[in-house]
Amino acid sequence: MEGYQDTPLLQEPVPGPDNRLPEISLSPDTVLQLAPNFRTRLDAAGHVILDSPAGTIVDIGPRGFAILSMFSRPVALGNALGRLETELGGSTDFAPTMSVVNMLIEENTLVASAAGRAPTTGWADPIEHARMLHDDRRTRDFISALTAAVRPGDVVLDIGTGSGVLAVALARAGARRVYAVEASDIAAVAAQVFEANGVTDRVTLVPGWSRQIELPERADLLVAEIIGNEPFEEEILETTLDARRRLLKPRARLVPHAVELLARPLLLPEAEFRQRAFGCAAVKRWRDLYGIDFQPLLDVASQDPVYSVAEGEVVAAWPPAGPSAVLTSVDLTTFDDASVHASADLVVDPPGPVNAVTVTFRARLHDAIVHTLDPWTWPSSSWATSVWVLPEPVHVGPESALRASYHRRVPGSPDGLTVEVVDRAKPSFPADSVRSVQP
């Protein structure tokens, strides 16, 4: 590729003491692919954040998933960059894209295809999938739903097949063809699972991200078990919308077909709150501990609740301050915009202090089959619970409510949860300001 200089490439053998890999020469003909041991998530600005194999955390920008998808299979570096440049139409976005590719190489996320690394961590880690398989309530609910939903002769799209468990169940339930999509290196294991269970004549493995692939035919049924700890963080909305537009038949069925977000006020124990909160009390504690004033740190920080996660068994021991309320309900079969702006007034009963809000979900899978993440009812789950910790506790009286407002991909608003104490008679924002929410 014209103008591209040889630069160091991180190669496989054995990492050194600093967790870096030895270097080799890089050229446009070098064939690269993704290393398996990394994880991704989205930040509040919609940027892809990468936990790299080198142990670093890297912001790879809003097009991060598209760039990663380019290398989901072995590809010559020059060809990949040429395709990316073509997709961008020569825009000024190409220079940042090139910088991201360089970062991926430097952080051990892109390696020479000859490296042949085995799955180790993240979504490529067999232990991660074993953990989900151990969650029999989760797996049985999805298998029950897809078994009821699939019809003889159906073409099915299974996005995020992982270990292949749902794809095997779909084939056994009568699907004519299952396209099992998987972006991580666990795909190689899924292929062996399909072979071991005698379904390779009906299940086709499709490596890559669903938004970057093409299928030879459209599907009758979509199965997308891509709900995260923060329910929308694995981009079920964006992925489902793309699948409906490009990969599904017009009247396709979906599992799940709707997702509700549930918010609940919480009173964290003092020790837990102290370790998770960032407010005036934290600054005072640090001053007492270290003799250093960190007020400037607080001055530049957001005063909105801080996002964290906790295992269900831990959350189950924390006292809820009131009942759950539905923040939003998204009909995955009809919504047409992946941004969400919704709110709910949370009742605090009995009236008193609140210092956190949990956000969980209810997934409507098929007919009456529903899977709910509720740590107080089912504390054992492979999903952790989203906990939004307030900077300082607030008191909610008998005539008041705690209004929780949730934003995702709303222009001009950071992603996340905000709260305020309001009079119960005070209306929340009008229904037409809720996007992607269906009645």
Side-chain angles (χ1 to χ4, degrees):
M1 186 179 62
E2 183 179 354
Y4 195 83
Q5 303 296 317
D6 283 358
T7 57
L9 170 66
L10 299 168
Q11 179 60 292
E12 166 56 12
V14 180
D18 63 351
N19 205 33
R20 295 284 175 171
L21 299 175
E23 297 178 353
I24 65 171
S25 179
L26 179 68
S27 76
D29 295 325
T30 304
V31 177
L32 300 176
Q33 68 181 106
L34 292 174
N37 47 339
F38 71 91
R39 297 192 71 166
T40 57
R41 60 187 185 278
L42 284 173
D43 70 4
H47 286 212
V48 178
I49 305 300
L50 177 100
D51 296 319
S52 80
T56 56
I57 299 174
V58 184
D59 183 342
I60 59 173
R63 301 194 70 255
F65 285 125
I67 297 169
L68 292 172
S69 181
M70 195 67 67
F71 296 94
S72 62
R73 302 180 187 181
V75 61
L77 177 60
N79 291 342
L81 294 178
R83 287 168 58 190
L84 287 167
E85 188 171 20
T86 299
E87 287 180 6
L88 292 168
S91 75
T92 56
D93 288 337
F94 185 66
T97 298
M98 188 65 238
S99 296
V100 168
V101 172
N102 283 333
M103 281 194 294
L104 293 174
I105 293 169
E106 292 169 359
E107 303 303 328
N108 302 0
T109 307
L110 284 180
V111 297
S113 63
R117 310 217 300 187
T120 53
T121 62
W123 294 123
D125 186 354
I127 300 301
E128 183 73 21
H129 295 276
R131 186 177 62 83
M132 291 186 280
L133 291 169
H134 280 308
D135 186 349
D136 57 291
R137 188 175 72 91
R138 170 184 185 161
T139 304
R140 287 180 183 274
D141 282 352
F142 272 86
I143 290 178
S144 296
L146 64 86
T147 300
V150 72
R151 299 170 185 169
D154 269 354
V155 174
V156 184
L157 174 59
D158 174 23
I159 294 180
T161 197
S163 66
V165 56
L166 300 186
V168 172
L170 285 160
R172 290 177 172 175
R176 173 175 64 82
R177 174 63 53 191
V178 180
Y179 293 101
V181 180
E182 177 57 48
S184 81
D185 276 15
I186 201 67
V189 178
Q192 296 176 47
V193 170
F194 301 152
E195 178 72 28
N197 287 276
V199 295
T200 54
D201 59 330
R202 283 155 288 162
V203 179
T204 299
L205 181 67
V206 184
W209 271 270
S210 69
R211 281 179 277 170
Q212 302 291 325
I213 65 161
E214 300 289 341
L215 296 181
E217 56 187 328
R218 289 188 174 237
D220 303 284
L221 174 66
L222 169 66
V223 176
E225 201 278 70
I226 48 174
I227 301 171
N229 297 328
E230 197 293 316
F232 292 154
E233 70 181 353
E234 292 185 20
E235 299 201 327
I236 188 173
L237 300 184
E238 294 85 347
T239 299
T240 300
L241 192 58
D242 174 75
R244 278 178 30 213
R245 290 170 174 170
R246 299 190 306 110
L247 305 174
L248 304 182
K249 294 177 181 177
R251 296 182 180 274
R253 287 152 277 130
L254 280 67
V255 175
H257 63 84
V259 176
E260 299 170 4
L261 297 190
L262 309 174
R264 190 170 197 177
L266 191 64
L267 184 61
L268 292 179
E270 178 59 32
E272 292 284 353
F273 178 71
R274 186 172 62 245
Q275 292 298 319
R276 296 168 184 267
F278 183 22
C280 294
V283 171
K284 180 182 183 302
R285 179 170 177 264
W286 297 333
R287 186 186 299 116
D288 294 341
L289 283 171
Y290 312 120
I292 301 173
D293 188 353
F294 286 102
Q295 184 62 40
L297 189 63
L298 181 61
D299 291 341
V300 298
S302 168
Q303 293 304 297
D304 292 333
V306 174
Y307 175 72
S308 65
V309 296
E311 295 301 321
E313 292 89 343
V314 175
V315 178
W318 296 343
S324 295
V326 176
L327 262 177
T328 185
S329 179
V330 182
D331 185 336
L332 297 175
T333 67
T334 59
F335 81 103
D336 59 5
D337 185 342
S339 60
V340 180
H341 179 200
S343 76
D345 288 353
L346 309 181
V347 175
V348 176
D349 186 20
V354 173
N355 58 18
V357 174
T358 61
V359 176
T360 57
F361 68 86
R362 180 186 296 126
R364 299 193 177 276
L365 304 181
H366 181 75
D367 290 341
I369 302 173
V370 175
H371 187 90
T372 303
L373 180 66
D374 181 349
W376 291 279
T377 305
W378 299 282
S380 179
S381 175
S382 52
W383 274 292
T385 300
S386 292
V387 182
W388 296 85
V389 182
L390 280 58
E392 309 288 346
V394 296
H395 183 85
V396 182
E399 303 302 321
S400 301
L402 185 70
R403 177 162 299 160
S405 298
Y406 179 88
H407 307 83
R408 177 176 170 79
R409 298 290 177 87
V410 176
S413 297
D415 286 6
L417 192 81
T418 59
V419 298
E420 62 175 327
V421 178
V422 299
D423 187 279
R424 287 200 197 184
K426 179 182 176 182
S428 60
F429 54 75
D432 63 3
S433 66
V434 181
R435 306 174 68 184
S436 294
V437 180
Q438 304 297 323

